[in-house]
Amino acid sequence: MTVCLDSAPNFRLDSYDPEAFNKLPSISDAVAKFDAIDGDSLVSTSFRELFLRYNMDRTFGLILLHRHFELDQNERLVSYGDTSVPWRLSKISKNITPSNWLLSGDGAFRPYEFRYTPAMDEATGPNLANSDQHAFFGALIELLHKHKAEGLWGLCRYPGDDFPGRVEVTEGRANINLRPEDSDIQKTAEFSDSPGILESAGHPIILISSSTMAPSIKGFHPENIPGIVSNLRLNGTTASFCFGTADRPLSGKQCLIYAVQFPDGVIWAVRVPTQANHLPPEAVTVFVEMEVSILKHVETSGFSRSPRLLGYNSGFDNPVGFPYIVLTWIEGTPVKWSDSIPSDRDTRNKFLRQMADITLELADCTQEWRPKTASTYLTDLIDRKIVRVSNGQVPRIQLRDCFIQRALVPRVVHFPLENSPFLISHEDLSPDNIIIDNEYNIKGIIDWGFATLLPLQFAVYFPRILAIEPSQIDAPQPPNIAAFSLAFFQPSPVLQTDRRYFTSYLSSRRSSLARSISLVLSTPDVDWRHLVFEAASSKGLHKWMAERSWLLHSSGNGLQDLSSIVLAEEVAKFLAGTVGQKSNLTRERILGTFQYVPRLSDDSTPSSLLPPSLDADSKKALIEMLDKEDRCLPVPSFLDPVEEQNTTVCVIPIFIIGLVKVFLSMISALPHLVLCIEAALEAGPIAYRWKKISATVDGDNAYLLGLAKETATAKLREGEPAKKQDDHHPES
């Protein structure tokens, strides 16, 4: 089970309760449980990955729940500086804010430790209105439950990248937090995640950030990194690790980053893709060479905000034992951004102007003409995916969904920009990859591992701080897709203001390139177009979109235009194209996989799928009968398989349809056709809306059409014609 926004507990903030503090385990009990579940390993793997996945590694820390003494009913534990002592409630002021929280399985956050600051600081605790945090909390509860770690860990404020760890010593009813270098207590556990795990008298303090302990990979020798870097500089000086990265390298999505410094203060970064270690060696080599190619292209183009390439080795036969890339170091910290950070509008606008300038600069520097239109580029992406899906290489994706996506290409493409140049797109402009100084001046853009060359209209999009995208790609399908689709693309008021400022600033830059970018970003469905494009190369996003009907309900259209006829046309176009001709696929093989088999009970309002001519009791009986038999309602190929369309069905069309069915299925379908005709003649002409309205006859491909009563359905299942309805029935 995956906990997501739709199914997570009802999160709430509970008030402080001294009894909750007193029920915390003693330090010895907490450490015993920590050791029993191999806490060190869990922190450095599962929990670390969770914090990084939701970009919470610089918002919260994971802390061991424990107590050293009890508190009276009128006390709470407050830290000031490096000491925590009980304060009486009478001394509590507005300058005291929560620092640590308990998290219960039912979604309740309860503060249990506090801190005092001379000036009221901005709260950075749980924000239950933030959808990203909401999804993170649900996943955290699931992970705690999975590893039987409820009551072991809580959340704390992230203390900053420069936090060195601490050694906690208890004297009486005071906790004194010593810096590691100031303590004479022997450290009994190595740093695992920056700021790390330190033990004092068996007491681990655990905090998560984007640093991690150097991995243990056979043949990998990070200790040789300073040597290979020193050889690149060619001036005889020797480099050494800095920022503690010898033991705790920084972590990107695919790489570990080691920082090395020369005696003159120059710092270089070394990227090692150890987190791609699950791939074959040749794939890792290609990954590195692609990033090197992009970095060279960006640098020679004159783009000023990327790190400079200093050297690389894409093979495994080197002193490090792994491919690596050496780059200039960009000084600063990753940007912190949310609806409330930074809080003042001037700072936000200043940062957004810089991001707009960077977007325009990258586009201007890297544009080049390619003999391929945007439509052809996207269609080729989807066609290559169709081949992989048909070969069983992508088991989570249905072939029919690929052709639905193919049919959406004309809706995605801006045809005025069909023949625009190609540009380099960073593809991951997340906060972690935007480095700023203390004044929100952007110093550089890092981590170009996913950058690629794309048609203009696909290359330009909002940076991820302004994007609307799924917060949890593996979330289950929502019960009401239409309502979800309409709500999904609604930005918060702050995000709406930020996006409007970003696009208006771009529009003010008077160049044809700026106008083209503004055209893309100002389109009302810009986010939908971007998600459909990204889903062409992302398996997870493809599945997420397909399970939500490609979010077409957001435009009020649904899938009604994508009938089986339209999809059959897409199949023909695919087979006539370059990729299709080279594949071994046939029309029959592809169409044979087009099965749409929802159950009535899968819809939030199943009765709305039935003909309005049925009375309430008849609708209920039909639903119960089909669900009880675990049967589904296959859709005739000549009608839309998902959405409704108004169709009047009478006896003559039924005869025609029946004859077509006989022709296609030969003699095997004839008995069922006779039953359909007899039942239809008995029922008379009926007008109703089509929406998944048909029923299998003994599992064969004959269809029930135009029958108004559940009795006709039942008789067809039993192999008998339906009896004529009573004349006095108002729906006869």
Side-chain angles (χ1 to χ4, degrees), residues 291-591:
E291 182 172 359
V292 167
S293 176
I294 288 290
L295 288 167
K296 288 180 177 179
H297 190 155
V298 170
E299 182 175 349
T300 56
S301 72
F303 182 67
S304 62
R305 304 300 187 111
S306 62
R308 295 293 173 255
L309 178 67
L310 301 171
Y312 74 98
N313 189 311
S314 61
F316 289 78
D317 186 16
N318 60 65
V320 178
F322 219 87
Y324 60 84
I325 300 175
V326 184
L327 304 164
T328 55
W329 180 266
I330 296 179
E331 190 67 35
T333 59
V335 66
K336 192 79 169 179
W337 191 274
S338 67
D339 279 3
S340 58
I341 302 174
S343 57
D344 64 291
R345 174 48 56 185
D346 288 343
T347 302
R348 297 180 78 88
N349 289 348
K350 169 186 174 181
F351 178 82
L352 293 174
R353 287 195 300 272
Q354 294 176 81
M355 284 306 305
D357 287 336
I358 289 172
T359 300
L360 190 56
E361 181 188 353
L362 182 61
D364 187 43
C365 288
T366 63
Q367 60 178 318
E368 61 180 71
W369 292 95
R370 293 288 182 94
K372 181 176 284 192
T373 65
S375 296
T376 304
Y377 181 90
L378 178 53
T379 302
D380 285 350
L381 272 181
I382 298 171
D383 285 355
R384 290 194 293 271
K385 177 169 62 177
I386 288 172
V387 175
R388 294 196 302 273
V389 171
S390 66
N391 292 336
Q393 296 173 275
V394 195
R396 298 176 60 196
I397 293 180
Q398 301 299 316
L399 200 57
R400 181 177 179 276
D401 290 325
C402 296
F403 282 95
I404 290 177
Q405 186 183 26
R406 198 180 197 278
L408 294 175
V409 170
R411 305 190 194 185
V412 173
V413 171
H414 294 272
F415 285 100
L417 301 176
E418 177 79 318
N419 295 295
S420 295
F422 279 57
L423 319 171
I424 284 184
S425 171
H426 184 278
E427 290 294 280
D428 189 20
L429 276 178
S430 62
D432 283 344
N433 295 330
I434 305 172
I435 307 302
I436 63 170
D437 63 15
N438 294 332
E439 302 297 325
Y440 272 80
N441 296 307
I442 298 177
K443 310 303 291 183
I445 306 296
I446 63 172
D447 199 348
W448 292 77
F450 293 100
T452 188
L453 196 67
L454 298 174
L456 183 149
Q457 58 184 283
F458 302 140
V460 294
Y461 182 59
F462 292 109
R464 292 184 68 180
I465 59 171
L466 302 180
I468 295 177
E469 55 189 6
S471 59
Q472 189 173 358
I473 205 68
D474 56 352
Q477 181 178 349
N480 190 326
I481 294 175
F484 175 87
S485 301
L486 291 171
F488 179 77
F489 290 114
Q490 299 301 316
S492 68
V494 175
L495 178 57
Q496 191 171 16
T497 301
D498 289 341
R499 286 162 64 111
R500 189 183 301 116
Y501 185 85
F502 184 85
T503 53
S504 64
Y505 179 78
L506 270 174
S507 300
S508 69
R509 303 296 301 275
R510 298 181 178 179
S511 69
S512 59
L513 192 57
R515 287 193 296 271
S516 296
I517 297 174
S518 297
L519 170 65
V520 174
L521 298 183
S522 300
T523 306
D525 60 352
V526 56
D527 302 293
W528 177 81
R529 294 180 188 232
H530 177 73
L531 289 175
V532 175
F533 169 74
E534 289 294 322
S537 54
S538 168
K539 297 188 292 290
L541 185 57
H542 175 112
K543 184 174 182 293
W544 188 91
M545 292 284 285
E547 288 175 345
R548 290 153 181 80
S549 297
W550 295 93
L551 297 178
L552 286 168
H553 290 284
S554 61
S555 61
N557 294 326
L559 291 173
Q560 68 234 32
D561 297 334
L562 301 179
S563 65
S564 295
I565 295 175
V566 172
L567 297 184
E569 291 174 351
E570 290 300 325
V571 172
K573 293 176 183 177
F574 164 77
L575 293 173
T578 304
V579 177
Q581 290 179 5
K582 293 179 180 179
S583 70
N584 295 322
L585 294 173
T586 63
R587 185 176 187 274
E588 290 72 21
R589 178 181 170 187
I590 295 173
L591 293 178

